[in-house]
Amino acid sequence: MPALYSDIGKTAKKILSDDFFSETKVTVKSKSKSGVTYSFGATQPAAADAPISGDIGLKLKLPHSKGTTANLKLLTASVATLELTNDAGLGLPGLKLVANLKAPVASAAGAGAAARVEYVHDVVALKGGVDALKRVLDASAVAGYKGVSVGADVAFDAKKNALAKYEFCAAFSDGGEAESVVALIDKLDKIKASYSHKLSATFSVAASILYSRKDASKLLTMAAKIAVDNTTTVKARIDSTGALAAAYIHDVSPGTTIVLSAATNVAAPQKVMKVGLSLAIE
């Protein structure tokens, strides 16, 4: 069964990107006996003068709604968001319906209303959406068989009467963490190839190379993830510009995870090292 276009190469993206950050973040989640999930999050950016951002939210299944889940969040940016998700697909296996609403509290600026539909079957994965206020339509399609997939993703801006995005990709996956992807992105201006592989039960690697046809620039990124034990994982990443990053992930107790991240540039050691800290409690 193929993945949605946005999920192709997901394993490599997680190894190359997840857990590398320079902010201070705290996330707390709790679930009541009735099944309602409450959450709180706060982020302090690396810049000393940047304001703290945060949100509080709740997630619950709506009664008598045939599998619809509501996720409501209130943000410190004076914005309220609501996401309604129906995984039951109104009785059609593989169909998922999602609606997103964004309502600024202080003014009408920044409001949003969008909807999307996803359908995954044995050999196809389809996704379509519309942003009603921005008047943007997007659609993606993936066809796959025995681990080989090809797909396309396009977006049309009705205000400008022009294509806002179009890209294509081809991928091969063994169904696990081994996946190779070649994609033409940014309106075919850039070529990106990525690879991920789980070499053992505790050791995974990933790499990507990005080539710009416009200026012939190249960016090579490599990362590795090692599970030290059942509660501790370490990650490292380096790219061709000399940017070096490391992350330490530790499960302090069931449901409580702390992440420490640090980044520097070996090509410019005079620059200040960036450090990030994350605490997640659930």
Side-chain angles (χ1 to χ4, degrees), residues 128-180:
V130 56
D131 189 314
L133 298 185
K134 293 182 179 179
R135 297 177 61 190
V136 174
L137 305 172
D138 63 84
S140 66
V142 177
Y145 183 68
K146 292 186 176 180
V148 179
S149 301
V150 292
D153 187 18
V154 297
F156 178 76
D157 189 330
K159 287 184 178 180
K160 298 179 180 179
N161 194 30
L163 286 174
K165 176 179 68 173
Y166 47 91
E167 54 189 56
F168 306 90
C169 78
F172 175 76
S173 173
D174 68 349
E177 289 195 25
E179 185 177 18
S180 301

Side-chain angles (χ1 to χ4, degrees), residues 16 206-210 219-223 237-240:
L16 291 167
S208 71
I209 184 167
L210 180 65
L219 177 65
L220 173 65
T221 307
M222 299 179 291
R237 181 186 68 189
I238 191 169
D239 66 26
S240 53

Side-chain angles (χ1 to χ4, degrees), residues 30-38 58-62 69-70:
S30 64
K31 192 170 185 178
S32 68
K33 293 182 179 180
S34 60
V36 179
T37 299
Y38 301 92
L58 64 86
K59 183 177 181 181
L60 73 158
K61 287 189 176 182
L62 299 179
T69 300

